[in-house]
Amino acid sequence: MACRDNEELQRFVEEAKKVAKDGKVASYIPALAKADQTDLSVAVYHVSNTCHSAGDVDKRFTLQSISKVLALAFVLSEEGPKKVFQFVGQEPTGDPFNSMIKLETASPNKPLNPMINAGALAVTSLIRGATPQDQLNRLIGFIRELANDKSITYCKETAASEFETSMINRAMCYYMKQYHIIRGNVEEVMDVYTKQCAIMMNSLDLAKIACVFSLDGRHPETGKQILSKDVARICKTFMVTCGMYNASGEFAINIGIPAKSGVSGGIMGAAPYDFGIGIFGPALDEKGNSIAGIKLLELMSEKYEMSIF
Ligand code: GLN
């Protein structure tokens, strides 16, 4: 069960906001450094197609790593798990999201899972399309369908800011190209990936998308089956095992719902058959998760016994 009371949600937001000062906004992507450290918003989208929210839920932010789940869902739907898992593994790494260390030490050389940067780059390279623009347009079309919102697009400034500075991701792409995990042109993969990460929405859209996963792929608003149950299941499992980077174990114990975070400060959580949740709080903890967002989820989980375990 989740919160069905906007005032209570607002009280949780006020309480959780207090820890925002202990975090830092991401600055390795220069455009993200402009975020307001004190922002915190939350939307809870119930499977009954009702919503509760608190904070500035109209404020848009870029998905960053949250896009990894959506790109994975898209590619799994198009290619099927058998093909996708030839290029990316299914195991948590225990390393930071941008680490490349296991690319060399793990055998075979494929990235360990699709929620780390290396794995997500490999997944993005599998999106079908004649050109990078075509690949991106197809992914955005899919995300618009998930959010039931045709206006969703990406932030050109953030995409360009990451494209120009993202040398570690580039290095990992070239490494994977050496081992035929990535087959396309690396600059084109980087182009699609950085734009994918810069897709923007607000916490309400994010909560609604999360709710599609909560409902095993069925849209809470339209009733349409957008993902197969199997694809939704695989994505939620990755969210539990690797969605919060190398804090996934702790998150599973303290909060206990499938979730994915991004360095812009977003968190998408999916409580099965109950609700989807979208949070935006750009101040991050040392592992790159929204510090106030996690605090908020801890407060909520304690009160509403949200854990699926
Ligand atoms: N675009 C970011 C990157 O590749 C996404 C990382 C994240 O959100 N953790 O570094």
Side-chain angles (χ1 to χ4, degrees), residues 207-229:
K208 204 191 291 178
I209 291 181
C211 198
V212 176
F213 287 93
S214 307
L215 282 171
D216 291 342
R218 188 167 62 78
H219 202 285
E221 228 170 6
T222 64
K224 195 171 156 198
Q225 190 76 31
I226 297 179
L227 303 170
S228 72
K229 189 172 174 183

Side-chain angles (χ1 to χ4, degrees), residues 115-175:
M115 301 293 116
I116 50 172
N117 285 8
L121 288 158
V123 168
T124 295
S125 76
L126 294 173
I127 298 173
R128 288 185 196 169
T131 61
Q133 186 63 47
D134 197 23
Q135 291 176 293
L136 179 73
N137 288 346
R138 296 186 64 254
L139 177 66
I140 290 181
F142 171 71
I143 292 175
R144 286 178 176 169
E145 210 184 342
L146 283 172
N148 195 24
D149 179 350
K150 290 192 175 62
S151 70
I152 282 177
T153 183
Y154 73 96
C155 171
K156 290 202 169 89
E157 187 202 340
T158 309
S161 174
E162 182 171 17
F163 186 83
E164 284 156 19
T165 54
S166 194
M167 299 310 150
I168 296 177
N169 284 342
R170 250 185 199 85
M172 290 196 284
C173 284
Y174 280 108
Y175 189 89

Side-chain angles (χ1 to χ4, degrees), residues 28-29 63-66 68 97 117 162 166 169 193 197 245 261-264:
Y28 77 98
I29 299 174
L63 289 178
Q64 299 303 329
S65 276
I66 300 173
K68 290 169 176 159
F97 62 86
N117 285 8
E162 182 171 17
S166 194
N169 284 342
Y193 175 79
C197 288
Y245 319 126
S261 63
V263 287
S264 53

